[in-house]
Amino acid sequence: MNKYIYNIILLVIAFLLLPLNANAFIVVIDPGHGGKDYGALGVKAKEKDINLSVALLLGDMIKNDLKDTKVVYTRNSDKFLSLRERADIANKVSGDLFISIHTNSIAKKAKNRKTISGASVYTLGLHKTEENLEVAKRENSVIELENDYSTSYSGFDPNSSESYIIFELNQNKHIDQSIEFASAVQDEFIHTANRKDRGVRQAGFLVLAATSMPSILVELDFICNPTQEKFLNSKSGQKKLATAIFNALKKYANKYNKTIVTNTNNTEITSTPKQTKEIKINDIEYKIQFLTSSNIINKKDKRLKGLNPVEFYKENNIYKYTYGSTASWDKALSILNEIKAKFPEAFIVKFKDGKRIK
Ligand SMILES: [Zn+2]
């Protein structure tokens, strides 16, 4: 093709895409569970329905009030979706923020099952308490309803506490923004929706680990407590909860939705949460950790899913497998994105002079 015509076509395409990329702040709303996956159950209500109602109300508020913000739902009807599919939707649209909406519950035999109450907002990390681990286990265990979950989540066992060690070292570059947004939502849950404060917490949620943007998971309140179930299942309760998230989002989006800033060289650069961090370090090496094992794995082991070449280092008698090596944080991120399709819980680890550092 004539080079001149080719360049013109490229320019036209770039102009057509420009408004889509530059202006919209994209919020991905993820109502937990759906279809055959009911989530936690109350006497009458199902978690999947409460999550969806609050999600749709929140989406409507955003569409009506925040013109520069685009809403993408992982589901807007009663259907089953894998955790991977939810994260894929968010990553594909390059979301600026991911909000997973859930309703809490505790074990049937727990003595305080009918009295426990309160809202909490989670970000990805290692649980500090057994209670937080239990919440992550319950929410992650939905992968057991997926076909072939043990291969799609590289052997992650949602019910085994040991699996959760991978979240200990999770270096998520969006963690500061995630916590900032989580705190704002928690604050609104208390003051706007009058929920009891159970705080901002961390735990290893697969759906958060697989999204590459600031992300939170909210537990609205406890469906196992009949009083809270009533609130959660009422239109007015759902409206209060959606308003709470909306208020926090409005502040957050206003802060991060300033797309154009001018730097000292007078060239325009975009400044959104998507902007990658620049880190200048010597002798630092980034690798992508994607798997741990109590013994050395054969190169052809199917757990490696054909990834080659791989390396490992040993820590606390556990072999930790890594892929790739680069001195550039940006490059590490793009390698991470590449292999996240196969290993959603993969994360970046940092080495100095061949030794793992934190
Ligand atoms: Zn849930």
Side-chain angles (χ1 to χ4, degrees), residues 216-231:
I216 64 162
L217 184 146
V218 305
E219 295 284 355
L220 299 169
D221 211 316
F222 287 82
I223 198 172
C224 53
N225 174 333
T227 315
Q228 305 315 325
E229 179 188 357
K230 226 179 207 171
F231 176 85

Side-chain angles (χ1 to χ4, degrees), residues 162-342:
E162 268 117 64
S163 292
Y164 288 79
I165 198 159
I166 58 163
F167 297 106
E168 185 187 1
L169 309 165
N170 208 305
Q171 295 184 345
N172 186 320
K173 73 165 190 144
H174 303 292
I175 191 66
D176 291 344
Q177 279 171 345
S178 300
I179 290 175
E180 182 186 342
F181 182 56
S183 310
V185 173
Q186 183 65 19
D187 199 55
E188 287 286 338
F189 275 154
I190 301 156
H191 296 110
T192 302
N194 306 314
R195 297 299 85 200
K196 193 181 150 195
D197 185 7
R198 299 185 65 83
V200 171
R201 300 163 178 234
Q202 274 80 48
F205 294 94
L206 286 176
V207 72
L208 299 187
T211 51
S212 43
M213 65 207 68
S215 58
I216 64 162
L217 184 146
V218 305
E219 295 284 355
L220 299 169
D221 211 316
F222 287 82
I223 198 172
C224 53
N225 174 333
T227 315
Q228 305 315 325
E229 179 188 357
K230 226 179 207 171
F231 176 85
L232 290 164
N233 207 28
S234 69
K235 262 280 145 291
S236 64
Q238 292 169 357
K239 216 171 171 183
K240 277 184 192 162
L241 291 162
T243 306
I245 304 172
F246 174 74
N247 288 348
L249 172 76
K250 204 166 162 177
K251 279 180 226 152
Y252 182 91
N254 275 338
K255 183 169 172 191
Y256 288 102
N257 200 18
K258 299 179 186 97
T259 43
I260 305 293
V261 295
T262 308
N263 73 8
T264 45
N265 300 324
N266 273 339
T267 46
E268 286 189 323
I269 56 164
T270 61
S271 164
T272 70
K274 280 179 218 161
Q275 194 184 344
T276 46
K277 229 198 250 165
E278 205 180 289
I279 299 174
K280 287 192 190 103
I281 319 165
N282 302 319
D283 310 323
I284 293 279
E285 197 183 1
Y286 297 103
K287 299 177 180 189
I288 315 303
Q289 184 169 321
F290 63 94
L291 188 74
T292 57
S293 170
S294 51
N295 41 37
I296 293 178
I297 297 174
N298 185 297
K299 267 185 190 173
K300 286 184 178 152
D301 192 296
K302 63 178 183 197
R303 279 178 288 171
L304 297 175
K305 296 182 183 172
L307 214 56
N308 186 31
V310 301
E311 298 174 281
F312 67 82
Y313 66 99
K314 200 177 168 187
E315 211 173 49
N316 303 325
N317 279 327
I318 294 174
Y319 296 90
K320 301 185 172 178
Y321 279 80
T322 63
Y323 175 73
S325 167
T326 169
S328 144
W329 173 255
D330 286 355
K331 238 186 219 137
L333 279 174
S334 75
I335 301 172
L336 176 66
N337 279 331
E338 247 171 66
I339 74 164
K340 270 215 161 165
K342 279 183 177 177

